[in-house]
Amino acid sequence: LLLKNREAAVARAAVDKQLEISLWTRFDSVFAKVVIANAVLIGVEVFTLDNDTKDKKDDPQTEALELCFFAADNFFLVIYTLEMVLRTIFFYQIRVLRDFRVFCKFLPRLVINLKWPVHLAVAKSFGTWLSDTRNLMWLDLIIIILSTIDNYILRTLGGNSTTEGQVLQMMGLLRLLRLSRL
């Protein structure tokens, strides 16, 4: 009887692991499409706002383009932040609660009825998941922090001097780290 119980537990763990992999694959595929769209937008931004248009800072068309790209960058920053929150909730739901239910085929069901005691438990699990060596959650966190610095601090500096302009260009290159998530 003990052997059968042990075999059943091992079989259940294997099924749970396969289900977890399937859920993470669906979740990742949705956000991979967001990363690809962001990569295309970064390419369009680099191609559109080349050195010739940067010399025309006072041109209304250039200012409108820069505003559109700034709005798009903010949109993607919000999406990436939301993804990190959803990943943390999903991690808690799957690994701690052993609940594999989802809605919309990829979102954690726990989002629907997240209550305060669970909020705190999910927040506490963030550090555990961040330290897990099998995922790149720490890279996501760094990218979000760098993107926030790029969007809200360095863009307000404007890059009028050559030093500020070089720093702004370096931060623009660091934004490409988002592509490494693929």
Side-chain angles (χ1 to χ4, degrees):
L1 185 64
L2 283 174
L3 188 58
K4 285 186 179 184
N5 287 341
R6 188 166 196 273
E7 289 173 357
V10 168
R12 179 69 184 153
V15 168
D16 285 354
K17 187 65 179 171
Q18 289 299 320
L19 185 57
E20 180 179 346
I21 290 170
S22 171
L23 292 174
W24 282 118
T25 301
R26 269 190 263 157
F27 186 86
D28 289 339
S29 68
V30 169
F31 287 102
K33 292 173 182 139
V34 172
V35 172
I36 290 169
N38 190 18
V40 169
L41 186 72
I42 289 172
V44 169
E45 181 178 5
V46 168
F47 182 75
T48 305
L49 297 178
D50 60 0
N51 290 331
D52 294 337
T53 56
K54 290 192 184 218
D55 293 337
K56 303 174 187 174
K57 275 288 193 194
D58 295 331
D59 182 30
Q61 185 178 6
T62 303
E63 288 178 3
L65 277 173
E66 287 177 346
L67 184 62
C68 287
F69 287 125
F70 180 68
D73 284 344
N74 285 315
F75 171 76
F76 283 111
L77 182 58
V78 167
I79 294 295
Y80 290 142
T81 305
L82 179 65
E83 177 196 6
M84 178 173 276
V85 169
L86 287 173
R87 278 185 186 278
T88 304
I89 293 169
F90 215 9
F91 170 78
Y92 181 80
Q93 178 180 316
I94 290 174
R95 295 278 176 90
V96 176
L97 299 178
R98 306 300 300 162
D99 182 0
F100 298 99
R101 295 177 296 168
V102 293
F103 73 97
C104 295
K105 296 187 180 182
F106 75 98
L107 292 171
R109 183 151 172 79
L110 190 59
V111 172
I112 295 173
N113 55 0
L114 198 60
K115 303 210 179 352
W116 263 112
V118 179
H119 279 97
L120 297 174
V122 169
K124 288 178 184 176
S125 74
F126 180 76
T128 304
W129 198 38
L130 191 61
S131 65
D132 188 355
T133 58
R134 292 174 290 180
N135 67 55
L136 295 176
M137 186 77 156
W138 58 271
L139 181 61
D140 286 346
L141 183 62
I142 290 170
I143 291 169
I144 288 171
I145 290 170
L146 289 177
S147 295
T148 303
I149 291 169
D150 178 30
N151 280 358
Y152 298 111
I153 297 173
L154 294 179
R155 287 198 187 195
T156 58
L157 293 177
N160 294 333
S161 70
T162 56
T163 306
E164 289 175 352
Q166 289 172 348
V167 169
L168 190 59
Q169 287 176 350
M170 287 302 295
M171 286 304 293
L173 290 175
L174 288 176
R175 284 176 40 222
L176 294 176
L177 273 176
R178 296 177 193 163
L179 301 178
S180 67
R181 296 168 37 134
L182 289 176

